[in-house]
Amino acid sequence: MAILLFTGQVVAADRSEQAEAARSKAEALEQIAAPESSSQTPAETITRPEAQAVDPAGEAPLDDALTCLARSIYWEAKGEAATDMEAVANVIMNRLGHEGFPNTICDVVTQGSEQGACQFSWWCDGRPDEVMEEDRYEIAKEIARQALNQQLPDRTDGALYFHQRTVAPPWAADYIKTIEVGEFFFYRPLGDASH
């Protein structure tokens, strides 16, 4: 019994160390992607076990880049194909790298909530934001890891905006549609402006 208890404590400590390593690496990678970054030093990449150790139950506060990105991917596209989820990640990363948006992933995800006009609908829908489907969240965390590691190709051709194909927001007429991926349409502004 003591051996099992000790083994459980070692596994928990290892998982905690992996999660902390992932958070630290994600912060460095996020800064490299932000437009004001002067750092050209490559950061260490996040490993799959490290990413999966972060927010395992999908209940943590949104206070680190990996959790904010994974939770956004999950809530915006959890019922869709992995390619749809990847495209949502592309938009968030494109916004992070664009001067018209905030310089952290969490700020990109929560932008507009102070005025009640959220950029990402899941953030202001009034429903709980805890993960319901652990397997889909694991996929979202893996996609977030790849996006932060800059290992995810941009499926959206630089898009900064998207919507599901079942809706027709009025703002879409003001932008160039770059591509359709699964259940989503993706857009970028004319020129380099963002709204």
Side-chain angles (χ1 to χ4, degrees):
M1 182 76 143
I3 292 173
L4 287 176
L5 181 60
F6 178 72
T7 303
Q9 290 172 338
V10 169
V11 169
D14 184 47
R15 192 166 183 92
S16 178
E17 288 174 15
Q18 288 177 328
E20 187 51 43
R23 284 187 203 94
S24 177
K25 290 176 182 179
E27 186 177 322
L29 291 163
E30 175 183 56
Q31 291 307 308
I32 290 169
E36 277 99 35
S37 175
S38 59
S39 173
Q40 297 302 319
T41 308
E44 277 188 75
T45 58
I46 304 166
T47 67
R48 183 177 177 92
E50 289 170 341
Q52 293 303 324
V54 174
D55 189 27
E59 298 173 334
L62 294 173
D63 61 4
D64 70 271
L66 187 63
T67 301
C68 287
L69 183 55
R71 209 74 76 75
S72 294
I73 295 164
Y74 173 84
W75 282 112
E76 291 291 338
K78 69 182 169 82
E80 309 305 333
T83 53
D84 295 11
M85 295 171 85
E86 290 172 0
V88 168
N90 292 148
V91 167
I92 296 166
M93 294 304 291
N94 290 344
R95 285 182 176 200
L96 179 66
H98 193 278
E99 63 187 39
F101 292 95
N103 292 327
T104 70
I105 290 171
C106 289
D107 287 346
V108 165
V109 168
T110 61
Q111 184 181 21
S113 59
E114 60 281 352
Q115 289 102 16
C118 289
Q119 297 287 307
F120 295 91
S121 59
W122 72 274
W123 180 244
C124 288
D125 64 8
R127 293 182 270 180
D129 296 329
E130 289 79 27
V131 167
M132 310 277 205
E133 300 160 12
E134 198 171 303
D135 59 329
R136 298 303 292 172
Y137 189 52
E138 286 178 11
I139 294 168
K141 284 195 289 187
E142 173 58 15
I143 291 168
R145 179 188 77 82
Q146 291 173 11
L148 281 161
N149 287 343
Q150 298 182 357
Q151 298 167 332
L152 194 64
D154 186 355
R155 298 179 174 284
T156 70
D157 192 23
L160 298 173
Y161 307 94
F162 71 97
H163 66 81
Q164 286 189 311
R165 66 175 58 246
T166 58
V167 298
W171 57 258
D174 297 334
Y175 298 103
I176 299 167
K177 185 178 354 174
T178 61
I179 195 163
E180 297 177 24
V181 178
E183 293 302 310
F184 298 100
F185 295 156
F186 293 85
Y187 302 84
R188 69 172 179 247
L190 298 167
D192 208 22
S194 64
H195 302 312

